[in-house]
Amino acid sequence: MAGKEKSETKEERRKRLAAELRANLARRKAQARARRAGEADAREDGIPAAKGEKSGG
């Protein structure tokens, strides 16, 4: 019975990792689109877009 529990755990882990990978890809795509459009990232933890200002350095 321990073998069955272990395989279920591996399957759950595989599903969880796949879901995390899809979510990460979606975040990265959204971030790339926002950068191309010159708009701020819509995510709460995103970074603000440049406003056309140049660094003085």
Side-chain angles (χ1 to χ4, degrees):
M1 188 112 166
K4 185 176 182 181
E5 291 175 11
K6 188 167 182 102
S7 67
E8 288 175 354
T9 303
K10 284 182 181 179
E11 181 66 18
E12 289 173 1
R13 181 175 186 264
R14 186 189 65 78
K15 287 180 180 180
R16 179 179 50 83
L17 291 175
E20 288 177 13
L21 184 63
R22 284 191 300 273
N24 186 26
L25 180 60
R27 282 191 302 270
R28 292 177 66 136
K29 282 185 173 183
Q31 187 179 47
R33 283 191 297 266
R35 286 181 178 165
R36 281 195 307 268
E39 299 171 358
D41 191 351
R43 296 181 300 134
E44 295 175 6
D45 58 341
I47 57 173
K51 301 292 183 188
E53 299 174 10
K54 293 185 179 180
S55 298

